Each structure stands twice: as structure tokens, then as C-alpha cells.
Amino acid sequence: MAVDPIEKKPLFHFHPGTQVFSLGGWGCNFRCQDCQNWEIAMVKDTSKGSEEVPPEKAIALAKHYKCAGIAWTYNEPSMWFEYTLDCAKLAKQSKLYTVYVTNGYLSPEALDTIGPYLDAWRVDIKGFSDALYRNLAKITKWRGILDVAQRAKTKWNMHVEVVTNIIPTMNDDDEQLSGIAGWIYNKLGEQTPWHVTRFHPNYLIADLPVTPLTTLEHAYDLGRKEGLKFIYLGNVPGHFSENTVCCNCGKPVVERIGYQTRVCGLNGSRCQFCGADLNFKFDRGGKHDD
């Protein structure tokens, strides 16, 4: 359990500047070789370090710490699907926003069960080939992830943002990166944020280098070529792409350094300078300049 900035998820166009109560549990339905939370996602002995937090207590803690919402994160939230469903129902009664930070490997039926109670779907699209998902995550039927993400947006009107952790030699080729960006553009919309993040050696992948900045910037260029309006580089604090610039008038509307956020040019979801809709779910209780 932790109180996190919503930007840490990462969600950049969803209630910017707010704090979210974050909960994680044990296990995962993937076996990603680069798992950054392998201590909980891949653990076999869950007898130590556990704490029981009933849904009612989770909501009470979120309110106690003055969080605007609750997120199920750190490990795959569908591993304790029934718990997250119970929490989400209570969260909506308490007017808290709700977030799934997920690998997206759910059935449409599972999504439809929790869909009425979820506000944001932050989904990993790890690559765009059978070989990548088979080698990295040890799964095969990965295209259902795409279908469910699209369903989250179109059927349940969830706010969707996509993350791709770019791993040298595995998913850094133009075919996969352009494939992901093109799919986002065609199925989720040109204003859907795409986070391309820097890989660091971890868990079972220790022999590959950190992703070069030039590779991330190339992914940024490919995404722009495919028509995406909002592409953010992750794990490189201070890069210009951390900020949100209006895709219509070019003026900065949100400034970020790491997890420090300043909303400086939004009027709700729109640019306060030109009025363009920028696909923000905005909480006026967050940090902003009028």
C-alpha cells in the first residue's frame, strides 16, 4: 500500500496533480522476464509480509490520506479480481476515482463485470508480435489485450493510456513500435497518451543495456508519424516530452519534472488558450494555476 502521485502509474491525462491510494497483492498471469515487481508478482511463498485489508478499510484509508482515488497496481490486479470489484463498488459510492494498472489480459466478460466501476484503464502493450509476447511474457493469445483495451474505451468510456517499455533487441524495431502506435491511433484515438519508457536490467534480463535515449526519441518520432498527439518518454526525468503541449496552439498546458506536476493551461479538458479539447479527465481539486 502506498499513496502515489497519479503520474506514477503513469497516467498523465487523468486527474493530474492528484494523489491515488495504491494497492498491490501477490502473483501475475504473465511471467515477464523483465518484471520490475517480481518480488511480489513472482513470489511462491506468500505467508510473510501480508496484511489483510478488507475493501471497507481500503476505502477508509484512501479517504484518511485525502486521496482522490484508488488504484490496483504493482502486481496484476486481475489476480484478485473479486477483491478489486468489491473495492471499486465502494469507491464509487465514496466518489473516489478508480484505476486498473494492468497487462490487459482479461476476458471481455471480466471487463464487463467491473467496467461500470472503473474510470481508467492503464494498459501495457509490451510489443506487437507473437514472438515478443511468447519470449518476454510467456503467453501466446496476446491480441485479446488489444480488443479488451478498445472495449474499455468504447463500451465503458474509460480513460485509456498505453505504456510500452522499450527493451533493446526485443521490441525496439520499427515494425513493432509503428504497429503499436498505429493501433492506438486507429482503435483508441489520436489523443490517447502513449508512454514509451526506458528499460533497466531487472529480474531475469541482466545482459541487456539500458534503453538508449535515441531509441526512445525514435519511438517518439514514429508515434508522431502515425498521428499520435501525446507521446511521453518515461524514466528520463527532465526530458521535454514529460510536458503536455496543446496539439492545436502549441502552448504548454501541463509541466512535469518526474512526479512533480503543475497544471498551467487547462480549463477542464480543454486548452485555456485556444479551447481545443486535449482528452483530459480533470479534477479541479488538483494543482493548477488559474
Side-chain angles (χ1 to χ4, degrees):
M1 296 181 291
V3 175
D4 288 331
I6 191 63
E7 287 78 14
K8 189 177 179 180
K9 298 303 107 184
L11 281 165
F12 276 16
H13 285 225
F14 184 79
H15 299 272
T18 62
Q19 300 289 301
V20 59
F21 191 69
S22 302
L23 289 156
W26 303 111
C28 190
N29 48 12
F30 283 12
R31 287 294 178 266
C32 294
Q33 305 300 286
D34 66 329
C35 181
Q36 62 178 338
N37 291 321
W38 61 270
E39 295 95 339
I40 60 173
M42 305 303 177
V43 71
K44 294 181 180 179
D45 181 5
T46 62
S47 62
K48 297 179 180 180
S50 296
E51 179 179 349
E52 183 177 354
V53 183
E56 294 80 4
K57 182 177 179 181
I59 302 307
L61 286 169
K63 295 167 71 174
H64 173 76
Y65 288 108
K66 297 180 172 53
C67 294
I70 187 167
W72 300 278
T73 179
Y74 306 134
N75 77 314
E76 171 51 43
S78 64
M79 291 295 93
W80 51 346
F81 180 81
E82 295 83 358
Y83 175 83
T84 65
L85 176 61
D86 290 345
C87 284
K89 290 177 178 178
L90 293 177
K92 298 318 296 175
Q93 293 175 13
S94 295
K95 302 187 185 307
L96 298 172
Y97 65 65
T98 52
V99 176
Y100 244 40
V101 179
T102 177
N103 60 33
Y105 200 68
L106 281 78
S107 67
E109 293 82 2
L111 178 76
D112 290 349
T113 300
I114 199 169
Y117 312 103
L118 275 187
D119 296 312
W121 189 257
R122 214 291 289 134
V123 61
D124 293 336
I125 306 297
K126 297 178 181 295
F128 218 69
S129 71
D130 293 345
L132 183 282
Y133 269 95
R134 184 172 58 250
N135 294 333
L136 181 67
K138 308 306 178 185
I139 66 146
T140 53
K141 297 180 180 179
W142 62 276
R143 288 190 174 271
I145 297 167
L146 309 181
D147 297 335
V148 168
Q150 185 180 357
R151 189 179 186 89
K153 179 179 176 64
T154 58
K155 181 176 176 63
W156 294 110
N157 195 33
M158 292 184 209
H159 178 80
V160 178
E161 300 195 21
V162 176
V163 169
T164 303
N165 191 36
I166 300 181
I167 307 171
T169 74
M170 295 189 72
N171 63 354
D172 59 347
D173 55 284
D174 286 11
E175 183 176 2
Q176 289 196 79
L177 295 174
S178 293
I180 296 169
W183 173 80
I184 295 172
Y185 177 87
N186 289 311
K187 300 300 183 181
L188 300 179
E190 64 181 12
Q191 291 192 344
T192 302
W194 185 31
H195 302 262
V196 291
T197 60
R198 171 175 267 174
F199 161 83
H200 290 275
N202 201 15
Y203 192 39
L204 300 179
I205 300 182
D207 58 337
L208 294 178
V210 171
T211 312
L213 180 58
T214 53
T215 299
L216 297 174
E217 291 176 337
H218 182 60
Y220 178 97
D221 291 339
L222 291 173
R224 297 286 288 184
K225 185 176 180 181
E226 292 293 332
L228 297 182
K229 301 299 185 182
F230 301 111
I231 306 164
Y232 300 103
L233 273 60
N235 299 333
V236 282
H239 194 272
F240 74 88
S241 69
E242 285 191 306
N243 300 321
T244 301
V245 174
C246 177
C247 54
N248 184 55
C249 70
K251 292 186 178 180
V253 295
V254 183
E255 297 175 345
R256 304 179 187 88
I257 299 178
Y259 301 137
Q260 299 298 313
T261 300
R262 187 174 77 94
V263 178
C264 54
L266 284 177
N267 180 15
S269 180
R270 296 183 177 275
C271 173
Q272 73 176 25
F273 304 106
C274 71
D277 193 320
L278 303 180
N279 185 32
F280 273 82
K281 295 291 177 68
F282 189 68
D283 178 18
R284 291 188 179 276
K287 303 171 185 176
H288 59 95
D289 292 344
D290 293 322

